[in-house]
């Protein structure tokens, strides 16, 4: 294998609109048959990108490919314009990573582990330091790793992922083991990273967390992407239940001509309708009736996610 080219100082973030992460038609096959097929996605600077899927769908395989821990059978991956295989050292230089299964040096203190890891990654102007991040996460740096709870070990992993101002932060289940206050702090760290121009690639089973911070979401099923869209865009495509009560009985065929509307039930002055797509056609139909009460359920990301499976 040819050696990596010499590292160059890159204190400045990429120009506006630059793609920080590009996964281009990547496939990875195992003897067992599991893996990913022709996955393509991009994450831009200033974006929090949610990556969702059940266990075994291909999330971990995708992340390991991005990190160049395993190699694809086809396709190419770039971080800040650099091929992660041919220029891996330079690509990972501006990358922070929290794995789903975090392994640390048990005999060292949290501070010693972080000092060791900090020496391997250059710090850039504007980046949060170890002490600042530890204070925000209420992490005692003087205790040995072996004495830390699962949540505090996770905090060590979070500090090493965010320290040094990385331009791409890859987080695999970042709030696992954390209490609600610390979960909120982690969301703030993600938002702040995006605000300074970094890209955040977030894989999480906490769908409410993803919906709060992610700008776009990709859903992977059986190794293939089945959707890549904004959270609002996914919600607009989801099925919403509309419950309406009118002053006079509603004709059973009142919604028959409305595209995207499926009548669930109608009983006198009450009707339930499932709606996919815009609400305007339903509103126009209801304009011909004296509406007493109207409730339209807002689908959450969990409902949308389960709909793909």
């Amino acid at each position: 294998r040819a050696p990596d080219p010499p590292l160059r100082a890159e204190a400045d973030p990429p120009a506006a609109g630059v793609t920080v992460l590009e996964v281009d038609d990547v496939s990875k096959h195992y003897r067992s048959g599991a893996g990913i097929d022709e996955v393509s996605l991009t994450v831009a600077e200033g974006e929090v990108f949610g990556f969702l899927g059940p266990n075994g769908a291909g999330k971990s395989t995708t992340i390991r490919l991005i990190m160049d821990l395993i190699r694809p059978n086809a396709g190419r991956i770039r971080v800040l314009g650099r091929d992660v295989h041919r220029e891996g050292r330079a690509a990972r230089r501006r990358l922070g990573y929290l794995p789903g299964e975090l392994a640390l040096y048990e005999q060292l203190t949290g501070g010693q582990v972080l000092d060791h890891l900090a020496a391997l990654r250059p710090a850039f102007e504007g980046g949060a330091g170890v002490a600042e991040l530890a204070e925000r996460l209420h992490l005692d740096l003087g205790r040995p790793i072996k004495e830390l709870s699962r949540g505090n070990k996770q905090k060590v992993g979070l500090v090493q992922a965010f320290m040094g101002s990385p331009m791409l932060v890859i987080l695999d289940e970042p709030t696992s083991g954390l209490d609600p206050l610390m979960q909120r702090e982690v969301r703030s760290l993600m938002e702040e990273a995006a605000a300074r121009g970094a890209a955040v690639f977030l894989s999480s089973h906490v769908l409410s967390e993803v919906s709060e911070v992610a700008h776009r979401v990709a859903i992977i099923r059986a190794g293939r992407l089945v959707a890549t869209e904004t959270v609002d865009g996914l919600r607009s495509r989801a099925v919403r239940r509309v419950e309406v009560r009118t002053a006079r009985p509603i004709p059973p065929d009142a919604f028959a001509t409305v595209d995207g509307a499926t009548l669930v039930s109608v009983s006198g002055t009450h009707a339930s309708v499932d709606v996919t797509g815009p609400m305007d056609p339903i509103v126009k139909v209801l304009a011909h009736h004296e509406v007493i009460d109207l409730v339209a359920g807002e689908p959450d990301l969990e409902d949308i996610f389960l709909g793909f499976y």
Side-chain angles (χ1 to χ4, degrees):
R1 177 186 173 208
D4 289 320
L7 296 178
R8 301 195 307 270
E10 291 184 0
D12 296 329
V18 163
T19 297
V20 175
L21 171 64
E22 181 181 3
V23 179
D24 185 14
D25 205 21
V26 170
S27 297
K28 175 64 178 179
H29 303 134
Y30 301 103
R31 291 182 179 179
S32 63
I36 62 172
D37 289 307
E38 299 176 347
V39 168
S40 294
L41 57 87
T42 60
V43 186
E45 65 166 1
E47 180 177 27
V48 179
F49 188 90
F51 195 51
L52 305 176
N55 292 334
K59 300 191 306 299
S60 294
T61 293
T62 303
I63 290 174
R64 288 169 184 155
L65 288 163
I66 294 170
M67 294 299 302
D68 198 38
L69 298 174
I70 56 177
R71 299 283 165 77
N73 298 107
R76 184 162 55 176
I77 301 171
R78 299 182 186 89
V79 171
L80 292 168
R82 289 189 165 91
D83 186 287
V84 297
H85 175 39
R86 292 186 293 106
E87 302 175 275
R89 188 160 57 111
R92 289 188 293 273
R93 186 170 179 254
R94 300 302 308 274
L95 187 154
Y97 172 47
L98 174 66
E101 297 181 4
L102 181 64
L104 299 168
Y105 300 106
E106 294 285 325
Q107 302 302 318
L108 301 181
T109 65
Q112 288 170 331
V113 169
L114 292 168
D115 286 344
H116 170 65
L117 295 175
L120 303 177
R121 180 192 303 162
F124 293 86
E125 185 177 353
V130 169
E132 176 189 343
L133 289 165
E135 182 177 0
R136 290 183 62 174
L137 294 173
H138 300 171
L139 172 64
D140 183 355
L141 296 175
R143 295 182 61 190
I145 296 295
K146 63 182 179 181
E147 295 180 5
L148 297 181
S149 66
R150 177 188 174 192
N152 280 317
K153 289 179 181 178
Q154 187 75 352
K155 293 176 185 179
V156 175
L158 286 162
V159 170
Q160 65 82 32
F162 281 97
M163 68 185 184
S165 189
M167 288 307 302
L168 173 61
V169 186
I170 298 176
L171 304 173
D172 192 355
E173 302 296 338
T175 57
S176 176
L178 300 182
D179 62 48
L181 282 176
M182 288 299 101
Q183 292 175 11
R184 180 180 299 179
E185 193 65 38
V186 173
R187 288 195 290 271
S188 295
L189 289 173
M190 287 188 272
E191 291 168 347
E192 291 165 17
R196 64 172 172 79
V200 179
F201 188 86
L202 169 63
S203 176
S204 175
H205 284 105
V206 186
L207 301 184
S208 59
E209 173 180 81
V210 177
S211 66
E212 285 183 24
V213 298
H215 302 99
R216 288 189 301 140
V217 172
I219 297 177
I220 189 169
R221 180 181 65 191
R224 288 184 173 270
L225 292 185
V226 294
T228 303
E229 204 166 337
T230 64
V231 174
D232 288 341
L234 285 174
R235 285 194 175 118
S236 71
R237 292 168 46 191
V239 176
R240 284 167 286 178
R241 176 66 55 86
V242 176
E243 305 279 350
V244 60
R245 186 164 59 90
T246 57
R248 299 179 186 82
I250 302 172
D253 61 349
F255 306 99
T257 61
V258 179
D259 290 338
T262 303
L263 184 65
V264 177
S265 66
V266 60
S267 177
T269 61
H270 180 272
S272 295
V273 185
D274 282 347
V275 181
T276 303
M279 296 293 291
D280 185 62
I282 291 291
V283 172
K284 287 178 178 175
V285 169
L286 294 176
H288 299 289
H289 302 268
E290 183 181 348
V291 176
I292 303 301
D293 191 21
L294 176 67
V295 177
E298 179 70 20
D300 61 23
L301 192 57
E302 183 171 356
D303 295 330
I304 299 166
F305 173 76
L306 293 174
F308 281 101
Y309 287 87

